[in-house]
């Protein structure tokens, strides 16, 4: 197989902790330097919190694996400083087409409106994504990234964790307040603690092949149901960086995984799809059985599970890595503030409740997509095929077609951290993530989301407030920045349209850019109470 990417080999470096007479303590240790582990370290660093990352390997992922990164994930990566290389290297797309047999049924546009800094989606191999994050981590003094450090033993207690770590120089001990676990879908740590990830295994198999070729397909997501070149099954086509194309072939439950991923068996499938005259080389292939499952509780004592270790979905809709990164962003600001004593210790519990909701939403969408793509009986197949036929002519049927409802940020409208009784009409809702908009600050072009994140923000229209009131609002907390919307130029009118801020109106925005409260008339008492609630103090039990 041809390789377009050479995996970097990161050096093992001996840590001074290995020569210590007793276990060295760190507030946060992260297991796994994959997408979620690296994202957690970067996000914590943005919150001013140091961490140690342990990985038993010394490179990034082998094979492209996750390739579709959504607008929300890119916005999070932009806050870390990682979005620009991702967008520059990746393939930007926002349109998709759905085919039934030999006919196009319809097409869709994921971001038809203007006024967003980042695209709806990019396609980029996971190894590039990880490499860019490693590059950032290596430059960040608050991140201690240790390759070829394997967790051997874990003693988890209510007040912390004791670790035994194996290296080429021997075994050494560490302790930490919180252990963040991102060791993948088959998490050994989860198993060692006697915990389970529960859900559904879909009785079907899919061949995922990365093909290097120069083709005239547009940079769109194309999905075929029952095409002539692969009868009674489905096929998905995506373009990635380096002229690599991702092709997913549904195989059926009876397929032999070891046989199907042999090149001599893959080539005839691709030739039937592309034509025998198209030249291509295989870069990577794998056969998957998809699962949708999650843990009942992501927190065990002071061990916190993230990413596939906590929740796993089938890839239809690109909800795996995107959902994982969004979970990390939810956790990091809370953990940092708990460790600093700025929030209730019970704030960590809201990571579990909010992201259980997020995972349930992702699993629901992925399960529905997988059920539509792989009908389990004759009636289901008839329903699917008739829906596809109707979708060509009738818009109502298109909403029923499910080749993967693509990843969108979930909302936390029911979160206990929200304040919902002080709001104004219009604009964005409490519990929803902020929308971007082009703005200018002091004559310099910018974007709204660039002004948010890493701390709480009170976005207020100060037109009916005097300087004393604005000063008092700013004095509520060192972790709160007041941004007066009158200082934001709105060249296209999109900020005003999306936020509907009139005189005195305000939004309290969390460090993960979610709206915690709205105020019809901002004042110190209401904003202070909403901030205290967003920091979890309402979750504390009264004696």
């Amino acid at each position: 197989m041809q390789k377009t990417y050479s995996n970097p080999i990161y050096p093992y470096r001996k840590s001074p902790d290995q020569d210590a007479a007793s276990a060295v303590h760190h507030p946060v240790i992260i297991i796994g330097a994959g997408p979620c582990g690296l994202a957690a370290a970067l996000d914590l660093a943005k919150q001013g919190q140091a961490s140690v990352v342990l990985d038993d390997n010394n490179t990034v992922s082998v094979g492209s694996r996750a390739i579709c990164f959504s607008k929300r994930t890119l916005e999070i990566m932009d806050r870390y400083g990682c979005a620009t290389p991702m967008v520059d290297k990746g393939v930007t797309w926002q349109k998709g087409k759905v085919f039934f047999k030999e006919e196009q049924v319809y097409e869709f546009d994921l971001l038809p409106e203007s006024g967003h800094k980042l695209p709806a989606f990019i396609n980029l191999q996971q190894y590039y994504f990880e490499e860019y994050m490693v590059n950032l981590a290596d430059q960040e003094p608050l991140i201690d990234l240790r390759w070829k450090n394997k967790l051997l033993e874990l003693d988890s207690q209510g007040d912390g964790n004791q670790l035994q770590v194996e290296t080429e120089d021997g075994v050494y001990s560490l302790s930490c307040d919180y252990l963040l676990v991102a060791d993948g879908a088959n998490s050994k740590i989860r198993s060692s603690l006697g915990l389970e990830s529960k859900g559904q295994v879909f009785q079907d198999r899919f061949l995922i092949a990365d093909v290097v070729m120069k083709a005239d397909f547009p940079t769109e997501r194309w999905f075929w149901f029952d095409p002539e070149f692969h009868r009674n099954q489905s096929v998905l086509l995506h373009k990635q960086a380096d002229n690599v194309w991702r092709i997913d072939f549904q195989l059926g439950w009876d397929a032999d995984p070891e046989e199907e991923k042999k090149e001599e068996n893959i080539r005839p499938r691709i030739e039937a799809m592309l034509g025998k005259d198209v030249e291509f080389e295989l870069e990577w292939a794998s056969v998957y059985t998809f699962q949708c499952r999650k843990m009942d509780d992501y927190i065990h004592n002071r061990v916190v599970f993230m990413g596939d270790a906590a929740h796993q979905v089938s890839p239809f809709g690109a909800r795996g890595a995107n959902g994982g990164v969004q979970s990390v962003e939810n956790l990091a600001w809370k953990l940092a503030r708990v460790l600093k004593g700025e929030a209730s210790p019970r704030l960590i519990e809201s990571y579990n409740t909010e992201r259980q909701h997020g995972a349930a939403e992702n699993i629901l969408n992925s399960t529905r997509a997988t059920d539509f793509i792989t009908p389990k009986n004759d009636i289901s197949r008839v329903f699917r095929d008739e829906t596809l036929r109707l979708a060509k002519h009738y818009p109502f049927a298109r909403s029923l077609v499910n080749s993967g409802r693509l990843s969108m940020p979930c909302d936390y409208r029911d979160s206990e951290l929200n304040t919902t009784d002080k709001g104004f009409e219009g604009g964005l809702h409490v519990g929803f993530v902020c929308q971007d908009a082009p703005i200018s600050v002091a004559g310099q072009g910018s974007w709204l989301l660039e002004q948010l994140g890493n701390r709480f923000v009170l976005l207020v229209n100060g037109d009916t407030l005097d300087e004393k009131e604005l000063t008092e609002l700013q004095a509520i907390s060192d972790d709160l920045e007041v941004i007066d919307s009158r200082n934001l130029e709105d060249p296209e009118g999109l900020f005003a349209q999306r936020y509907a801020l009139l005189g005195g109106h305000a939004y309290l925005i969390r460090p993960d850019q979610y709206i915690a409260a709205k105020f019809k008339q901002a004042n110190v008492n209401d904003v202070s109470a909403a901030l205290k609630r967003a920091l979890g103090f309402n979750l504390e039990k009264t004696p």
Side-chain angles (χ1 to χ4, degrees):
M1 293 188 181
Q2 177 176 330
K3 296 293 183 183
T4 61
Y5 178 82
S6 296
N7 278 61
I9 302 301
Y10 300 112
Y12 160 78
R13 294 189 179 95
K14 189 174 182 180
S15 166
D17 291 357
Q18 294 171 242
D19 293 324
S22 58
V24 177
H25 185 80
H26 297 274
V28 180
I29 295 176
I30 300 167
I31 304 297
C36 289
L38 291 167
L42 290 169
D43 209 319
L44 286 168
K46 289 294 181 184
Q47 317 290 332
Q49 178 60 55
S51 65
V52 174
V53 183
L54 306 179
D55 194 283
D56 59 5
N57 207 331
N58 63 348
T59 188
V60 295
S61 69
V62 177
S64 63
R65 302 185 183 274
I67 65 166
C68 296
F69 297 99
S70 69
K71 178 175 176 290
R72 181 59 200 152
T73 297
L74 292 172
E75 289 168 349
I76 295 169
M77 289 299 126
D78 202 35
R79 192 164 61 77
Y80 302 165
C82 198
T84 297
M86 291 178 68
V87 174
D88 288 348
K89 183 66 178 179
V91 175
T92 296
W93 67 277
Q94 66 189 63
K95 292 185 178 181
K97 292 177 180 175
V98 176
F99 301 85
F100 180 46
K101 297 186 185 294
E102 283 62 67
E103 291 188 291
Q104 179 179 321
V105 177
Y106 72 99
E107 63 180 69
F108 57 86
D109 190 330
L110 293 169
L111 192 64
E113 64 180 9
S114 62
H116 296 268
K117 176 181 179 180
L118 293 161
F121 269 88
I122 67 165
N123 287 352
L124 181 70
Q125 295 89 318
Q126 182 174 315
Y127 43 71
Y128 282 122
F129 177 43
E130 292 182 17
E131 181 182 340
Y132 299 152
M133 285 199 287
V134 171
N135 292 342
L136 284 176
D138 283 343
Q139 299 167 23
E140 174 53 67
L142 291 175
I143 299 175
D144 182 352
L145 179 50
R146 303 181 187 177
W147 301 103
K148 303 296 283 185
N149 275 242
K150 180 181 180 180
L151 178 64
L152 278 185
E153 295 181 19
L154 169 63
D155 181 12
S156 168
Q157 303 294 331
D159 59 352
N161 303 284
Q162 303 292 323
L163 290 72
Q164 294 292 310
V165 181
E166 182 182 48
T167 73
E168 62 187 51
D169 289 315
V171 176
Y172 70 106
S173 301
L174 293 171
S175 66
C176 63
D177 296 311
Y178 287 91
L179 184 73
L180 308 188
V181 178
D183 63 346
N186 299 314
S187 171
K188 292 180 180 178
I189 296 175
R190 187 183 64 218
S191 298
S192 73
L193 294 173
L195 305 174
E196 292 183 274
S197 187
K198 303 172 185 176
Q200 180 179 2
V201 177
F202 292 92
Q203 292 193 349
D204 210 331
R205 302 190 197 279
F206 289 78
L207 168 68
I208 297 182
D210 283 352
V211 176
V212 183
M213 64 179 178
K214 293 182 179 179
D216 57 2
F217 294 111
T219 54
E220 299 171 346
R221 181 186 193 265
W222 285 15
F223 197 103
W224 287 267
F225 292 93
D226 194 11
E228 182 180 8
F229 57 83
H230 195 55
R231 277 294 177 220
N232 299 315
Q233 307 284 18
S234 64
V235 179
L236 174 63
L237 176 71
H238 267 298
K239 186 180 181 181
Q240 308 173 64
D242 302 330
N243 286 317
V244 176
W245 294 77
R246 162 68 61 80
I247 309 175
D248 293 22
F249 291 98
Q250 182 185 0
L251 298 175
W253 183 239
D254 295 332
D256 182 332
E258 293 306 314
E259 286 298 313
E260 292 292 347
K261 64 185 179 184
K262 291 179 179 177
E263 185 165 349
E264 62 264 29
N265 294 323
I266 297 173
R267 279 192 166 274
R269 297 190 185 281
I270 297 174
E271 287 173 354
M273 176 183 181
L274 304 176
K276 292 195 174 183
D277 295 334
V278 176
E279 294 183 4
F280 66 88
E281 293 293 336
L282 281 172
E283 183 184 74
W284 176 74
S286 188
V287 174
Y288 282 88
T289 298
F290 297 134
Q291 303 184 52
C292 287
R293 58 180 184 161
K294 65 179 181 66
M295 299 176 68
D296 291 335
D297 193 327
Y298 302 148
I299 304 172
H300 174 79
N301 293 330
R302 289 195 175 189
V303 179
V304 184
F305 291 85
M306 310 182 299
D308 283 352
H311 41 71
Q312 186 182 5
V313 296
S314 63
F316 301 114
R319 293 173 177 270
N322 290 301
V325 167
Q326 289 162 36
S327 288
V328 165
E329 190 193 33
N330 183 284
L331 172 64
W333 71 268
K334 298 171 181 178
L335 178 57
R337 281 155 182 79
V338 167
L339 287 168
K340 294 175 187 176
E342 297 172 355
S344 164
R346 297 195 64 187
L347 180 63
I348 300 295
E349 296 173 15
S350 70
Y351 161 70
N352 185 59
T353 54
E354 290 184 346
R355 291 314 301 175
Q356 285 283 348
H357 162 68
E361 183 176 291
N362 285 333
I363 287 172
L364 176 64
N365 280 281
S366 290
T367 300
R368 286 175 173 173
T370 307
D371 285 342
F372 191 86
I373 291 164
T374 62
K376 300 303 182 290
N377 53 53
D378 291 341
I379 296 299
S380 297
R381 181 173 288 276
V382 169
F383 170 78
R384 187 199 72 178
D385 290 355
E386 291 307 312
T387 299
L388 289 164
R389 289 188 179 96
L390 288 169
K392 184 177 179 181
H393 305 288
Y394 301 103
F396 84 89
R398 293 167 196 165
S399 65
L400 301 175
V401 175
N402 196 337
S403 64
R405 301 274 189 258
L406 288 157
S407 175
M408 298 286 288
C410 76
D411 67 79
Y412 307 136
R413 70 181 77 187
D414 297 323
S415 173
E416 293 181 287
L417 305 184
N418 294 342
T419 298
T420 57
D421 59 346
K422 305 289 183 180
F424 57 90
E425 296 296 321
L428 303 181
H429 297 293
V430 173
F432 284 69
V433 73
C434 288
Q435 293 184 17
D436 209 358
I439 58 171
S440 291
V441 180
Q444 296 292 316
S446 185
W447 295 89
L448 180 66
L449 293 187
E450 292 180 349
Q451 312 302 312
L452 310 178
N454 307 328
R455 76 277 191 231
F456 284 90
V457 168
L458 186 71
L459 184 60
V460 59
N461 183 327
D463 195 43
T464 60
L465 304 175
D466 59 32
E467 286 301 317
K468 180 175 181 292
E469 290 173 304
L470 288 170
T471 301
E472 289 173 343
L473 288 169
Q474 182 60 76
I476 289 173
S477 170
D478 291 340
D479 195 26
L480 177 70
E481 180 177 352
V482 175
I483 297 178
D484 192 333
S485 65
R486 294 175 300 171
N487 297 326
L488 306 179
E489 299 172 45
D490 187 11
E492 299 180 30
L494 291 172
F495 171 68
Q497 175 185 320
R498 291 169 183 167
Y499 285 81
L501 282 170
L502 303 178
H505 289 181
Y507 294 92
L508 179 63
I509 301 168
R510 304 182 343 181
D512 58 359
Q513 301 179 341
Y514 272 82
I515 296 168
K518 292 171 69 171
F519 308 96
K520 192 170 184 179
Q521 188 66 35
N523 63 77
V524 168
N525 288 339
D526 288 345
V527 174
S528 296
L531 180 62
K532 189 173 181 181
R533 186 178 187 89
L535 289 168
F537 289 106
N538 63 299
L539 301 175
E540 295 182 352
K541 295 178 181 178
T542 55

